[in-house]
Amino acid sequence: MSQHPVNELTHRLIPSPAGRLHVVEQGSGPLVLLVHGFPESWYSWRHQMPALAAAGYRAAAVDVRGYGRSSRPAATDAYRMRELVADNVAVVEALGERTAVVVGHDWGSTIAANSALIRPDVFRAVALLSVPYAPRGGPRPSTVFASMGGDQEFYVSYFQEPGRAEAEIEPDVRGWLAGFYAALSADTMPAPGAPDPHFVGPGGTLRDRFPAGRLPGWLSEEDLDVYAGEFERTGLSGALARYRNMDRDWEDLADHDGAPLTQPSLFIGGGLDASTTWMADAIDAFPTTLPGLSSSHVLDGCGHWLQQERPAQTNRILTDWLGSLPETAC
């Protein structure tokens, strides 16, 4: 019998530089590490884990530090990218493996890319969902974001001020999450020409531009309960700290300026996702920045939460790609 039967989820807490990390496993075989984005959790991979296990892989979905049952260090700079890469390495080692394939969505995509960049000895292949790889470079990030939107404020800048977004979100975590998820989902996002929910108007909040009254098709009331329950318990500061380290990351990663990711790689984006459309130049640059790219997919009519909006399609692309990887490093 396999160590982790295909139909069984195994929860464990493992030691890490953060203190502890919560990891959920399913299946056995070559290790595939799944890294979520904002504002999510290991649960974002609930559709992928059984498919990966059935295909002969050991799927391990982590709660990134600051989320869920993982540790939430108090210091903002504890959430810099190098620390998150160290967490991923700690997971691989704690699970008794030397190497893994790393798959990330949203912020998890950036964490996955940097894990592969900084520790190519551990991460033998990388799949990036929603957010394409863009090498470190250019001006300081906060300077770039501050110049966007004219009299409107870009959401990243809004998130960077400690306490500000928390004051908006935490009085009604469930309602805020429902609106945020809906704003970036294909079937509930604002119509073209409506005020953009990625920006805050003068004196306003992000929530002012969220759609209200209908959950996206991929999100049940029970799913929303899982996400809301976690953030009601933990608060949002740990999750938002990722945005508050972008300038530190820019400084920390200066020795990787312009560096390509050379491992076998995969990209999946949503055709209606701003992460894909705003970063079209990054996708165009893949022949240079991702020389090991196996394939790049933009899912027509799909929003930001693609592995939840299009689970069957995402699972097929992922398992086909995993099956094409060299076996030598398994």
Side-chain angles (χ1 to χ4, degrees):
M1 190 173 180
S2 64
Q3 182 183 0
H4 299 292
V6 166
N7 60 352
E8 180 182 304
L9 290 176
T10 301
H11 293 254
R12 66 167 74 190
L13 296 175
I14 65 167
S16 82
R20 69 171 186 277
L21 290 172
H22 175 224
V23 181
V24 184
E25 292 182 78
Q26 190 169 6
S28 61
L31 180 61
V32 180
L33 180 63
L34 303 167
V35 188
H36 67 79
F38 176 88
E40 303 182 74
S41 80
W42 76 267
Y43 187 76
S44 304
W45 302 104
R46 63 194 177 280
H47 301 300
Q48 283 64 55
M49 297 183 73
L52 292 172
Y57 299 96
R58 183 184 186 186
V62 63
D63 275 338
V64 173
R65 72 165 65 187
Y67 289 83
R69 293 170 61 190
S70 293
S71 287
R72 298 185 302 280
T76 299
D77 66 0
Y79 298 85
R80 65 208 308 158
M81 185 59 68
R82 285 192 179 275
E83 298 284 349
L84 301 178
V85 170
D87 284 348
N88 283 351
V89 172
V91 171
V92 175
E93 293 175 350
L95 297 182
E97 302 290 346
R98 293 194 305 272
T99 64
V101 176
V102 62
V103 180
H105 170 257
D106 182 76
W107 262 122
S109 175
T110 306
I111 296 168
N114 281 285
S115 296
L117 183 68
I118 295 169
R119 293 300 304 270
D121 56 318
V122 177
F123 299 103
R124 63 186 181 92
V126 57
L128 309 174
L129 277 57
S130 293
V131 177
Y133 178 58
R136 186 265 186 213
R140 184 176 293 273
S142 60
T143 303
V144 175
F145 299 133
S147 69
M148 298 173 63
D151 65 344
Q152 303 179 73
E153 185 178 15
F154 191 44
Y155 79 99
V156 175
S157 297
Y158 181 75
F159 283 167
Q160 284 180 331
E161 183 181 330
R164 188 175 173 204
E166 290 92 328
E168 173 185 344
I169 301 167
E170 291 184 1
D172 178 21
V173 170
R174 195 176 192 277
W176 192 92
L177 290 175
F180 189 77
Y181 295 145
L184 306 185
S185 298
D187 57 339
T188 46
M189 63 176 51
D196 190 332
H198 295 89
F199 291 87
V200 179
T205 64
L206 269 178
R207 189 172 181 166
D208 295 340
R209 298 181 176 187
F210 292 168
R214 184 162 74 94
L215 294 182
W218 62 267
L219 184 70
S220 70
E221 296 284 353
E222 292 75 19
D223 294 332
L224 181 57
D225 286 342
V226 171
Y227 288 121
E230 292 288 74
F231 287 111
E232 286 166 355
R233 179 173 58 78
T234 65
L236 272 291
S237 292
L240 288 162
R242 177 82 292 273
Y243 293 93
R244 297 166 185 166
N245 279 280
M246 296 178 76
D247 282 354
R248 287 189 186 93
D249 297 339
W250 181 80
E251 295 166 358
D252 288 347
L253 300 172
D255 54 341
H256 295 284
D257 194 80
L261 282 182
T262 58
Q263 294 97 319
S265 57
L266 170 73
F267 175 71
I268 314 173
L272 299 178
D273 184 3
S275 298
T276 302
T277 55
W278 289 350
M279 298 185 72
D281 288 350
I283 295 174
D284 291 343
F286 281 169
T288 301
T289 61
L290 294 177
L293 184 70
S294 303
S295 58
S296 178
H297 307 260
V298 176
L299 310 184
D300 289 342
C302 184
H304 181 67
W305 318 102
L306 59 88
Q307 80 269 38
Q308 297 176 86
E309 291 187 51
R310 299 279 184 85
Q313 193 173 7
T314 300
N315 292 348
R316 187 182 72 250
I317 294 170
L318 269 179
T319 54
D320 286 352
W321 173 70
L322 288 165
S324 75
L325 296 177
E327 295 294 329
T328 52
C330 291

